[in-house]
PDB file of all heavy atoms in Angstrom:
ATOM      1  N   THR A  61     -74.823  -2.359 -26.996  1.00 97.00           N
ATOM      2  CA  THR A  61     -73.740  -2.672 -27.861  1.00 97.00           C
ATOM      3  C   THR A  61     -74.180  -3.523 -29.109  1.00 97.00           C
ATOM      4  O   THR A  61     -75.047  -4.358 -28.963  1.00 97.00           O
ATOM      5  CB  THR A  61     -72.693  -3.419 -27.055  1.00 97.00           C
ATOM      6  OG1 THR A  61     -72.174  -2.631 -26.126  1.00 97.00           O
ATOM      7  CG2 THR A  61     -71.519  -4.017 -27.921  1.00 97.00           C
ATOM      8  N   SER A  62     -73.569  -3.306 -30.371  1.00 97.00           N
ATOM      9  CA  SER A  62     -73.972  -4.004 -31.522  1.00 97.00           C
ATOM     10  C   SER A  62     -72.715  -4.586 -32.178  1.00 97.00           C
ATOM     11  O   SER A  62     -71.826  -3.783 -32.583  1.00 97.00           O
ATOM     12  CB  SER A  62     -74.744  -2.964 -32.347  1.00 97.00           C
ATOM     13  OG  SER A  62     -74.908  -3.580 -33.660  1.00 97.00           O
ATOM     14  N   CYS A  63     -72.711  -5.816 -32.506  1.00 97.00           N
ATOM     15  CA  CYS A  63     -71.605  -6.297 -33.272  1.00 97.00           C
ATOM     16  C   CYS A  63     -71.697  -5.976 -34.768  1.00 97.00           C
ATOM     17  O   CYS A  63     -70.800  -6.076 -35.453  1.00 97.00           O
ATOM     18  CB  CYS A  63     -71.351  -7.747 -33.032  1.00 97.00           C
ATOM     19  SG  CYS A  63     -72.593  -8.793 -33.972  1.00 97.00           S
ATOM     20  N   GLY A  64     -72.954  -5.712 -35.109  1.00 96.00           N
ATOM     21  CA  GLY A  64     -73.194  -5.391 -36.505  1.00 96.00           C
ATOM     22  C   GLY A  64     -73.212  -6.545 -37.465  1.00 96.00           C
ATOM     23  O   GLY A  64     -73.402  -6.443 -38.698  1.00 96.00           O
ATOM     24  N   ARG A  65     -72.884  -7.721 -37.021  1.00 96.00           N
ATOM     25  CA  ARG A  65     -72.679  -9.049 -37.859  1.00 96.00           C
ATOM     26  C   ARG A  65     -73.653 -10.128 -37.611  1.00 96.00           C
ATOM     27  O   ARG A  65     -73.873 -10.934 -38.452  1.00 96.00           O
ATOM     28  CB  ARG A  65     -71.273  -9.514 -37.671  1.00 96.00           C
ATOM     29  CG  ARG A  65     -70.230  -8.522 -38.229  1.00 96.00           C
ATOM     30  CD  ARG A  65     -68.915  -9.081 -37.980  1.00 96.00           C
ATOM     31  NE  ARG A  65     -67.860  -8.182 -38.372  1.00 96.00           N
ATOM     32  CZ  ARG A  65     -66.645  -8.211 -38.060  1.00 96.00           C
ATOM     33  NH1 ARG A  65     -66.240  -9.215 -37.261  1.00 96.00           N
ATOM     34  NH2 ARG A  65     -65.760  -7.256 -38.387  1.00 96.00           N
ATOM     35  N   CYS A  66     -74.201 -10.163 -36.358  1.00 98.00           N
ATOM     36  CA  CYS A  66     -74.940 -11.441 -36.062  1.00 98.00           C
ATOM     37  C   CYS A  66     -76.412 -11.219 -36.673  1.00 98.00           C
ATOM     38  O   CYS A  66     -76.757 -10.195 -37.079  1.00 98.00           O
ATOM     39  CB  CYS A  66     -75.028 -11.573 -34.455  1.00 98.00           C
ATOM     40  SG  CYS A  66     -76.073 -10.442 -33.675  1.00 98.00           S
ATOM     41  N   ALA A  67     -77.140 -12.326 -36.627  1.00 97.00           N
ATOM     42  CA  ALA A  67     -78.547 -12.279 -37.087  1.00 97.00           C
ATOM     43  C   ALA A  67     -79.376 -11.136 -36.418  1.00 97.00           C
ATOM     44  O   ALA A  67     -80.168 -10.456 -37.126  1.00 97.00           O
ATOM     45  CB  ALA A  67     -79.186 -13.641 -36.950  1.00 97.00           C
ATOM     46  N   ALA A  68     -79.273 -11.003 -35.157  1.00 97.00           N
ATOM     47  CA  ALA A  68     -80.084  -9.982 -34.419  1.00 97.00           C
ATOM     48  C   ALA A  68     -79.728  -8.662 -34.914  1.00 97.00           C
ATOM     49  O   ALA A  68     -80.499  -7.794 -35.190  1.00 97.00           O
ATOM     50  CB  ALA A  68     -79.908 -10.053 -32.982  1.00 97.00           C
ATOM     51  N   CYS A  69     -78.335  -8.300 -34.953  1.00 97.00           N
ATOM     52  CA  CYS A  69     -77.931  -7.020 -35.425  1.00 97.00           C
ATOM     53  C   CYS A  69     -78.293  -6.730 -36.842  1.00 97.00           C
ATOM     54  O   CYS A  69     -78.758  -5.606 -37.271  1.00 97.00           O
ATOM     55  CB  CYS A  69     -76.370  -6.804 -35.189  1.00 97.00           C
ATOM     56  SG  CYS A  69     -75.952  -6.661 -33.438  1.00 97.00           S
ATOM     57  N   LYS A  70     -78.225  -7.708 -37.711  1.00 97.00           N
ATOM     58  CA  LYS A  70     -78.571  -7.597 -39.062  1.00 97.00           C
ATOM     59  C   LYS A  70     -80.120  -7.358 -39.289  1.00 97.00           C
ATOM     60  O   LYS A  70     -80.541  -6.708 -40.189  1.00 97.00           O
ATOM     61  CB  LYS A  70     -78.298  -8.793 -39.984  1.00 97.00           C
ATOM     62  CG  LYS A  70     -76.670  -8.750 -40.169  1.00 97.00           C
ATOM     63  CD  LYS A  70     -76.347  -9.692 -41.194  1.00 97.00           C
ATOM     64  CE  LYS A  70     -74.941  -9.431 -41.793  1.00 97.00           C
ATOM     65  NZ  LYS A  70     -74.422 -10.537 -42.544  1.00 97.00           N
ATOM     66  N   PRO A  74     -80.100  -5.048 -32.146  1.00 97.00           N
ATOM     67  CA  PRO A  74     -78.892  -5.252 -31.375  1.00 97.00           C
ATOM     68  C   PRO A  74     -79.180  -5.484 -29.889  1.00 97.00           C
ATOM     69  O   PRO A  74     -78.269  -5.945 -29.107  1.00 97.00           O
ATOM     70  CB  PRO A  74     -78.005  -4.036 -31.560  1.00 97.00           C
ATOM     71  CG  PRO A  74     -78.981  -2.995 -31.977  1.00 97.00           C
ATOM     72  CD  PRO A  74     -79.970  -3.750 -32.879  1.00 97.00           C
ATOM     73  N   HIS A  76     -80.559  -7.798 -28.804  1.00 97.00           N
ATOM     74  CA  HIS A  76     -80.419  -9.276 -28.663  1.00 97.00           C
ATOM     75  C   HIS A  76     -79.127  -9.737 -29.422  1.00 97.00           C
ATOM     76  O   HIS A  76     -79.172 -10.923 -29.882  1.00 97.00           O
ATOM     77  CB  HIS A  76     -81.663  -9.988 -29.204  1.00 97.00           C
ATOM     78  CG  HIS A  76     -82.809  -9.562 -28.335  1.00 97.00           C
ATOM     79  ND1 HIS A  76     -83.121 -10.021 -27.040  1.00 97.00           N
ATOM     80  CD2 HIS A  76     -83.900  -8.832 -28.689  1.00 97.00           C
ATOM     81  CE1 HIS A  76     -84.189  -9.420 -26.578  1.00 97.00           C
ATOM     82  NE2 HIS A  76     -84.690  -8.745 -27.648  1.00 97.00           N
ATOM     83  N   CYS A  77     -78.179  -8.880 -29.382  1.00 97.00           N
ATOM     84  CA  CYS A  77     -76.893  -9.255 -30.169  1.00 97.00           C
ATOM     85  C   CYS A  77     -76.384 -10.556 -29.594  1.00 97.00           C
ATOM     86  O   CYS A  77     -76.114 -10.690 -28.435  1.00 97.00           O
ATOM     87  CB  CYS A  77     -75.807  -8.070 -29.962  1.00 97.00           C
ATOM     88  SG  CYS A  77     -74.346  -8.503 -30.640  1.00 97.00           S
ATOM     89  N   ALA A  78     -76.100 -11.454 -30.593  1.00 97.00           N
ATOM     90  CA  ALA A  78     -75.608 -12.823 -30.254  1.00 97.00           C
ATOM     91  C   ALA A  78     -74.141 -12.824 -29.794  1.00 97.00           C
ATOM     92  O   ALA A  78     -73.767 -13.566 -28.943  1.00 97.00           O
ATOM     93  CB  ALA A  78     -75.812 -13.719 -31.435  1.00 97.00           C
ATOM     94  N   SER A  79     -73.373 -11.869 -30.330  1.00 96.00           N
ATOM     95  CA  SER A  79     -71.958 -11.794 -29.982  1.00 96.00           C
ATOM     96  C   SER A  79     -71.693 -11.301 -28.566  1.00 96.00           C
ATOM     97  O   SER A  79     -70.664 -11.539 -27.985  1.00 96.00           O
ATOM     98  CB  SER A  79     -71.263 -10.882 -30.908  1.00 96.00           C
ATOM     99  OG  SER A  79     -71.460 -11.234 -32.283  1.00 96.00           O
ATOM    100  N   THR A  80     -72.729 -10.703 -27.959  1.00 94.00           N
ATOM    101  CA  THR A  80     -72.590 -10.373 -26.562  1.00 94.00           C
ATOM    102  C   THR A  80     -73.417 -11.112 -25.648  1.00 94.00           C
ATOM    103  O   THR A  80     -73.844 -10.770 -24.552  1.00 94.00           O
ATOM    104  CB  THR A  80     -72.951  -8.752 -26.370  1.00 94.00           C
ATOM    105  OG1 THR A  80     -74.235  -8.602 -26.926  1.00 94.00           O
ATOM    106  CG2 THR A  80     -71.939  -7.842 -27.128  1.00 94.00           C
TER     107      THR A  80
HETATM  108 ZN1   ZN B   3     -74.757  -8.620 -32.890  1.00 92.48          ZN
END
Side-chain angles (χ1 to χ4, degrees):
T61 292
S62 166
C63 78
R65 294 179 184 164
C66 74
C69 288
K70 284 192 166 169
H76 299 288
C77 178
S79 304
T80 55

